[in-house]
Amino acid sequence: HGAGELEELGSEALLRRTPAPAWLPTAKGEEGDFCLRSSDCAAGLCCARHFWSKICKPVLREGQVCTRHRRKGTHGLEIFQRCQCAEGLACRIQREHGPADTSRLHTCQRH
């Protein structure tokens, strides 16, 4: 392989074979893509545990079931983590209408 062949390939082929430097922004992960932290995921997604790895999952919307942790640090024990509620929503006990208000289900609700 001589220098002439290298010129024939052009700069495009060289760019494709050269990995991007760490400081260059890369595409954000889509739903289901592996991640290390939420900043690795696209807007509207967070990085949460799924079995023994972490993937990008959707941030929870109003009315969706959420997880409320009683003790600090218990979030890391789950193997199927959920994202937090979207901005402007809080994870609260779902109130059922009627005398048997014993539900422990939490949903994302407006403040």
Side-chain angles (χ1 to χ4, degrees), residues 62-82:
E62 187 171 9
Q64 290 186 307
V65 174
C66 54
T67 305
R68 179 90 184 239
H69 299 282
R70 293 169 198 254
R71 280 177 269 126
K72 193 174 183 175
T74 56
H75 193 64
L77 301 176
E78 297 173 299
I79 61 167
F80 294 110
Q81 289 178 333
R82 291 185 176 107

Side-chain angles (χ1 to χ4, degrees), residues 4-70:
E5 276 184 54
L6 191 58
E7 284 176 23
E8 283 178 35
L9 289 173
S11 59
E12 290 178 47
L14 288 175
L15 290 174
R16 269 187 267 126
R17 281 191 268 149
T18 307
W23 52 265
L24 273 181
T26 57
K28 298 285 188 170
E30 297 299 323
E31 188 173 341
D33 288 349
F34 290 102
C35 57
L36 292 175
R37 59 191 67 82
S38 291
S39 60
D40 296 337
C41 301
L45 301 174
C46 83
C47 188
R49 192 179 285 44
H50 188 80
F51 286 114
W52 292 271
S53 59
K54 292 174 98 178
I55 61 170
C56 296
K57 295 183 180 185
V59 170
L60 301 176
R61 295 185 305 274
E62 187 171 9
Q64 290 186 307
V65 174
C66 54
T67 305
R68 179 90 184 239
H69 299 282
R70 293 169 198 254

Side-chain angles (χ1 to χ4, degrees), residues 75-94:
H75 193 64
L77 301 176
E78 297 173 299
I79 61 167
F80 294 110
Q81 289 178 333
R82 291 185 176 107
C83 288
Q84 309 84 349
C85 296
E87 201 170 317
L89 301 176
C91 188
R92 296 192 178 130
I93 284 187
Q94 182 176 330

